[in-house]
Amino acid sequence: MRQVALALAVMLLASVPASADERFAVIISGVSGSEKFAESQKTWSDALQLTLRTRLGFSADRITTLAEGAATNATRENVARTLTALKQRLAADDLLLIVLIGHGTSDGTTSKFNLVGPDMDTKEWKQALDGMPGRLVFVNTTSSSFQFVPALSGRNRVVIAATDSAAQRYATVFPQFFIEALDQSAQADADKNGRLSVWEAFTYASQAVKAAFEQKGTLVTERSIIDDNGDGVGREATAAAGADGVLAKTTFLDPEPATTAANAAIAGLEKQRVGIEAEIEQLKDRKGQMPAGQYEEEFERLAIELARISAKIRAAK
Amino acid sequence: LLAKQLEAAGVGPARLAPAYERIAQLDPFDAANHSALGRLKMQAGDAQTAAREFRAAIAAGAIDQASAHCDLAESYLALGDKTRARRAVLAAIEVAPGYPRAQDLLLKVVGGA
């Protein structure tokens, strides 16, 4: 029965052509090992599915879930079939979000994600994802996940791991907060532009994990990292600005908002708004190289200008 | 968690505030708790205490920094301290230039709205 269900799911994935800018998700909840973990994995997996559909507007037929004991079990064969089918379906400007929930192991040189039956190591994941069209956001929320970053890093890819060293091999809480970030997108939307970027979800989850350990008063046993420039070197959310982050900050998990340029007057104001926002970003970049007073004066002038134009846009809509 | 459960159960601000205050004593680094307590104090008209709690939320590393600075700006505005309100709202805009709440607040502070 399960094989029939998977075959139907794969046929569906392969047969319906995707149009541009579509968003797909694969949730893989691996072997749990105990009732306690089975319960938390199911809770997270169900919550993620619901959030993707209801909060982020993913179509139900573009979300594939492989889970221990589910109609489509989380086995390596099913992972391979699902990814192969998606390679046929995705277009170059589509987005694929893959989230791994469960347990991982590492021998120091390679990591595995624990599936039902034989596991898949980082090399096998790399092979399975090679040739996947579109932008890939790969989130391994498990213990010992850090080696997925160098293994899967590449052009047009954002790779996130819940841990950053072999020593971080304990059950993680990162999935709870990553899903919370997607669900509470208004709070996670740090720049308040009304959209949730992968960077914002990652930053929210990283900070929430840190706060959770601080509240418990225990040593932090997981530090999440991200790589999006293809160099295979991950960075933490709180690290000084570095090479990573550019792609993740411009990769959004929610749908593209409808264009508002139908009205010429609004379009003109929108153009001004974008220009001022760019000026603000340039000014912020120069902050350390100019006197504080001069920066504050210039920033306030631009902020007031931006606020006035934004108010006009909101009033005109 | 307890405070959230009480809030969800419809417990009013007068009974909620002591719960948040107790949590703040037990865990002074819980930024979300300071923010929640600050909002309750604002509702109760105690902007002075609200401002203290909002400052604590920012110092404790509130995840949503833009909202935290806006909360603080609103409390300063309620106290009639436009200079500090202006500084706080500009800090919010520095984090989130397109945040409508911060923009409206800025216009209110500078007299443009």
Side-chain angles (χ1 to χ4, degrees):
Chain A
M1 186 61 192
R2 284 178 188 169
Q3 283 176 333
V4 173
L6 178 69
L8 283 172
V10 169
M11 276 171 60
L12 185 68
L13 278 172
S15 61
V16 184
S19 61
D21 295 314
E22 291 192 1
R23 294 164 302 138
F24 295 80
V26 178
I27 303 165
I28 306 173
S29 177
V31 68
S32 58
S34 75
E35 267 185 42
K36 180 187 154 200
F37 288 122
E39 195 181 323
S40 59
Q41 283 181 217
K42 184 168 183 344
T43 301
W44 290 336
S45 172
D46 289 350
L48 181 55
Q49 276 187 68
L50 186 68
T51 296
L52 290 174
R53 280 205 323 270
T54 58
R55 297 273 191 190
L56 301 174
F58 277 65
S59 297
D61 67 345
R62 287 178 174 79
I63 302 172
T64 306
T65 303
L66 308 179
E68 182 185 41
T72 45
N73 212 341
T75 62
R76 62 187 293 158
E77 292 77 18
N78 288 347
V79 170
R81 280 192 200 120
T82 302
L83 296 180
T84 302
L86 282 167
K87 281 180 194 173
Q88 294 168 30
R89 183 141 190 235
L90 259 74
D93 42 9
D94 289 342
L95 173 81
L96 172 61
L97 169 69
I98 297 178
V99 181
L100 309 187
I101 297 170
H103 304 287
T105 52
S106 171
D107 63 6
T109 55
T110 186
S111 290
K112 288 179 178 176
F113 173 64
N114 300 152
L115 290 161
V116 177
D119 298 331
M120 278 173 72
D121 66 21
T122 43
K123 280 183 190 164
E124 289 167 310
W125 278 99
K126 184 182 180 310
Q127 284 165 4
L129 290 165
D130 274 351
M132 183 68 76
R135 184 168 296 179
L136 174 67
V137 179
F138 190 96
V139 186
N140 188 343
T141 69
T142 73
S143 50
S144 300
S145 49
F146 74 105
Q147 279 161 334
F148 277 73
V149 170
L152 302 185
S153 174
R155 198 184 67 81
N156 211 17
R157 285 183 174 182
V158 181
V159 185
I160 293 171
T163 60
D164 77 347
S165 79
Q168 293 171 17
R169 58 179 190 274
Y170 304 101
T172 54
V173 292
F174 183 83
Q176 177 190 334
F177 296 112
F178 186 75
I179 296 162
E180 187 177 290
L182 305 187
D183 188 44
Q184 307 287 322
S185 52
Q187 281 179 45
D189 175 19
D191 63 7
K192 305 294 174 194
N193 67 350
R195 301 206 64 196
L196 182 67
S197 70
V198 174
W199 175 262
E200 287 169 331
F202 165 72
T203 303
Y204 178 98
S206 299
Q207 291 178 331
V209 166
K210 188 166 172 273
F213 278 96
E214 280 172 0
Q215 279 188 349
K216 280 194 293 184
T218 58
L219 195 67
V220 180
T221 56
E222 55 182 284
R223 275 191 297 274
S224 50
I225 51 172
I226 189 168
D227 171 78
D228 69 356
N229 66 350
D231 68 357
V233 180
R235 64 166 277 199
E236 288 185 49
T238 50
D244 290 304
V246 176
L247 186 64
K249 283 174 185 169
T250 52
T251 300
F252 298 98
L253 294 171
D254 46 11
E256 192 81 28
T259 53
T260 55
N263 179 322
I266 296 177
L269 289 168
E270 289 278 10
K271 201 174 167 186
Q272 286 183 51
R273 180 184 62 77
V274 170
I276 296 169
E277 281 180 352
E279 277 189 70
I280 287 178
E281 290 309 316
Q282 286 164 12
L283 180 67
K284 279 160 69 177
D285 281 345
R286 298 198 309 270
K287 186 177 183 179
Q289 298 140 31
M290 59 198 296
Q294 188 189 342
Y295 170 81
E296 283 163 18
E297 198 177 309
E298 183 65 6
F299 182 81
E300 184 170 339
R301 183 187 66 77
L302 288 170
I304 292 170
E305 205 176 332
L306 179 63
R308 288 193 172 131
I309 287 172
S310 298
K312 280 183 194 168
I313 293 171
R314 287 198 296 277
K317 279 182 181 170
Chain B
L1 184 65
L2 171 68
K4 277 184 184 170
Q5 284 172 345
L6 290 171
E7 207 169 344
V11 175
R15 288 176 62 202
L16 265 180
Y20 284 125
E21 280 162 1
R22 182 78 181 121
I23 294 166
Q25 287 167 358
L26 291 169
D27 184 2
F29 298 104
D30 185 340
N33 184 66
H34 286 296
S35 291
L37 180 55
R39 287 189 204 110
L40 280 182
K41 292 294 178 186
M42 279 295 280
Q43 279 176 30
D46 182 359
Q48 192 73 50
T49 309
R52 186 193 70 201
E53 293 304 321
F54 293 143
R55 282 194 301 268
I58 292 166
I63 291 176
D64 188 348
Q65 285 282 314
S67 295
H69 283 291
C70 276
D71 286 339
L72 182 59
E74 281 171 350
S75 65
Y76 284 144
L77 207 53
L79 289 168
D81 188 343
K82 281 199 170 187
T83 306
R84 284 180 164 186
R86 193 180 190 120
R87 206 176 301 144
V89 75
L90 285 169
I93 290 178
E94 194 171 22
V95 177
Y99 190 14
R101 180 184 169 203
Q103 292 177 342
D104 289 346
L105 203 49
L106 177 63
L107 293 180
K108 206 169 165 184
V109 172
V110 300

